[in-house]
Amino acid sequence: MSDNKKRLAVFCSGTGSNFKALFHAIIERELPAEIVLCLSNRAQCGAMDFAREYGIEAIHLSEKQFATHDEFALAMLDALRERQIDMILLAGYLRKIPDAVVAAYAEKIVNIHPALLPQFGGHGMYGMRVHEAVIASGETRSGATVHFVNEEYDKGRIIMQNHVPVLPGDTAETLAERVLRCEHRLYPAALEKLLAEQP
Ligand code: GRF
């Protein structure tokens, strides 16, 4: 049975709350998948600590460790291939995925974005900047989007979205908290859908 499980890598740069939500959902819902690798551009972060605590291999891979971008891309590809990774889930990973990796894992790399794409996405739109832009726009709805990763920031095909209200008096911080809670429900649901579609 375990042979049928998709081997997942989760890429993180920070707290890793989405990583934790995915990890617990896989166990609780008995999804046919296993997170076998946590990859981070940072030697230490909440996500890496969580991975180590739960016995998931955690590797630090940063472009700064390599002389060229191509060498970095190759090392990332090698790390994924050595571990026979089927699918990559980006969960707060703040670096662009090298084009060579995107090409090798076409429609196998998934990201979560804290807004309703195609709005409020693109280069530089991450963290509080997203929520500040939503509030400044006067939108009454925000939410989260799970989408495939292609060569352009936040432009890959949308897999699933869920929305939350923007309430009068919201700050970027209060909206961020509401959106993050929405993300923790959405990402596992999107993974479940993908696993059902790609048996
Ligand atoms: C989330 O808001 C996600 O949408 C964005 O980065 C944040 C990561 O948070 N890509 P966490 O590390 O999962 O807590």
Side-chain angles (χ1 to χ4, degrees):
M1 192 46 201
S2 66
D3 289 346
N4 297 327
K5 287 186 177 179
K6 295 281 183 207
R7 294 173 62 80
L8 309 181
V10 182
F11 286 20
C12 302
S13 304
T15 318
S17 68
N18 277 292
F19 172 25
K20 294 170 195 170
L22 287 163
F23 177 82
H24 292 303
I26 287 168
I27 293 170
E28 282 157 21
R29 301 182 198 182
E30 298 182 353
L31 300 183
E34 186 182 358
I35 299 172
V36 295
L37 176 66
C38 173
L39 185 148
S40 181
N41 58 303
R42 296 174 61 187
Q44 180 117 36
C45 63
M48 294 284 267
D49 291 343
F50 178 83
R52 292 181 180 122
E53 188 183 334
Y54 282 87
I56 297 166
E57 186 184 7
I59 60 172
H60 171 216
L61 198 73
S62 162
E63 187 150 0
K64 293 182 191 145
Q65 297 162 329
F66 299 90
T68 66
H69 179 75
D70 286 353
E71 283 176 33
F72 167 60
L74 208 58
M76 187 179 278
L77 267 178
D78 282 348
L80 296 167
R81 285 178 174 150
E82 274 167 21
R83 293 161 182 84
Q84 298 176 295
I85 299 299
D86 297 306
M87 197 186 291
I88 301 162
L89 305 173
L90 308 186
Y93 183 68
L94 295 177
R95 290 287 180 275
K96 196 165 187 291
I97 302 294
D99 286 353
V101 178
V102 173
Y105 284 84
E107 300 237 317
K108 301 282 182 205
I109 309 177
V110 177
N111 182 44
I112 187 158
H113 183 80
L116 296 172
L117 293 176
Q119 283 185 290
F120 306 108
H123 187 48
M125 285 298 268
Y126 61 87
M128 283 301 155
R129 292 184 198 183
V130 177
H131 306 296
E132 282 160 6
V134 171
I135 287 175
S137 75
E139 291 283 346
T140 55
R141 271 183 7 154
S142 189
T145 304
V146 175
H147 65 95
F148 287 114
V149 171
N150 64 13
E151 289 79 1
E152 286 182 274
Y153 277 110
D154 302 325
K155 289 279 175 64
R157 185 159 67 85
I158 290 173
I159 299 162
M160 208 182 257
Q161 290 184 306
N162 208 352
H163 67 264
V164 298
V166 179
L167 300 175
D170 258 343
T171 61
E173 286 75 18
T174 58
L175 180 58
E177 280 173 28
R178 194 174 307 122
V179 170
L180 193 60
R181 285 197 297 274
C182 167
E183 291 181 48
H184 296 162
R185 294 188 297 272
L186 181 70
Y187 215 170
L191 175 63
E192 191 163 7
K193 177 175 186 264
L194 283 173
L195 292 170
E197 286 171 1
Q198 306 181 1

